[in-house]
Amino acid sequence: QFITTDMATLEKEVKKYAISKKIELENLKVREEYRREFMGNVSHELKTPLFTVQGYIDTLMDGVKDKSLRDKYLERAQKGVERLVYIVQDLDMISKLEMGDVKLQYTDFNVVTLVQNVFDMLEMQADKKNIILMFDSKYSKPIRVRADQEKVQQVLINLVMNSIKYGKENGTTEVAIEDFINNKVIIRVTDNGEGIDASNLSRIFERFYRVDKSGSRNEGGSGLGLSIVKHIIEHHNEKIYVESKPGKGSVFSFTLEKAK
Ligand code: ADP
């Protein structure tokens, strides 16, 4: 490794080598710590729905005479499995994003249509809480952007879904698109739901982070939605912002590049 002739240079090279090895080791330690924490979170997240499903199946195996009760237990077991599927999908996505394994497929597309599609997908969930999904009629003209359409759809689904989950009954979710600096547009998702206080606001993009651990769990989240959103936006070299007032509501905004 050390091709040198005089002692002083050799000493310097050895020192440099030792420092680089130390940094390498520290990086490894950080990654190991990260891996351990991630695995801990994963098993914790999976345990609750798994035990729920197991519980209902055990009860059903013991025999439940009443048909409506049987149906109810089956339905709950199915919900648990559904939740497991969502968590595993989210985990898969986050690990790919964090490992840099995701290659973006850039195309030019109309983001107005995309918002409308996402509204169609989530209409049923919104209806359950009587939440109105609003999109200003001024967007009759297409707004073309350059991005990975599937990933941007994922971002919109996660943000609109959150606005429904944490929105109040009879509330509203509004999506707006505006011109932004540097040939960009900014897309805002605004709700008038429970809002987020300042101490939590700085942490909601962390993976597995939830404001109200028990409350959010009832909403069926994995705590991964917003970290997926942030990764996707940052992969595009774009920005995401959040503003929120407890009791009043939240605004999540992100930028996208306009198509040329
Ligand atoms: P989850 O699966 O728990 O919804 P997210 O990563 O999507 O995970 O969100 C993290 C946390 O941020 C949520 O648990 C919730 O407490 C809070 N949050 C996200 N979106 C909103 C919103 N629109 N209004 C209020 N709180 C929100």
Side-chain angles (χ1 to χ4, degrees), residues 233-244:
I233 298 301
E234 286 179 353
H235 254 58
H236 279 86
N237 284 324
E238 298 293 344
K239 294 252 184 301
I240 176 144
Y241 312 92
V242 57
E243 291 157 77
S244 191

Side-chain angles (χ1 to χ4, degrees), residues 162 165-166 191 196 204 209-211 216 221-223 225-226 250:
N162 277 351
K165 286 200 298 193
Y166 307 106
D191 67 61
I196 308 155
I204 51 168
Y209 191 81
R210 291 189 184 118
V211 175
S216 305
S222 63
L226 284 180
S250 315

Side-chain angles (χ1 to χ4, degrees), residues 162-216:
N162 277 351
S163 78
I164 298 170
K165 286 200 298 193
Y166 307 106
K168 50 173 187 268
E169 300 257 340
N170 308 315
T172 53
T173 292
E174 190 183 351
V175 175
I177 309 172
E178 283 161 32
D179 278 334
F180 198 60
I181 46 170
N182 295 339
N183 203 36
K184 288 186 193 286
V185 291
I186 186 157
I187 303 176
R188 293 182 210 284
V189 181
T190 307
D191 67 61
N192 57 0
E194 64 193 48
I196 308 155
D197 64 38
S199 66
N200 284 303
L201 202 58
S202 57
R203 301 201 56 191
I204 51 168
F205 290 105
E206 290 173 22
R207 63 182 143 71
F208 300 111
Y209 191 81
R210 291 189 184 118
V211 175
D212 171 4
K213 314 284 183 268
S214 54
S216 305

Side-chain angles (χ1 to χ4, degrees), residues 4-14:
T4 185
T5 44
D6 68 293
M7 258 333 258
T9 322
L10 181 65
E11 239 170 59
K12 252 192 229 153
E13 297 246 318
V14 170

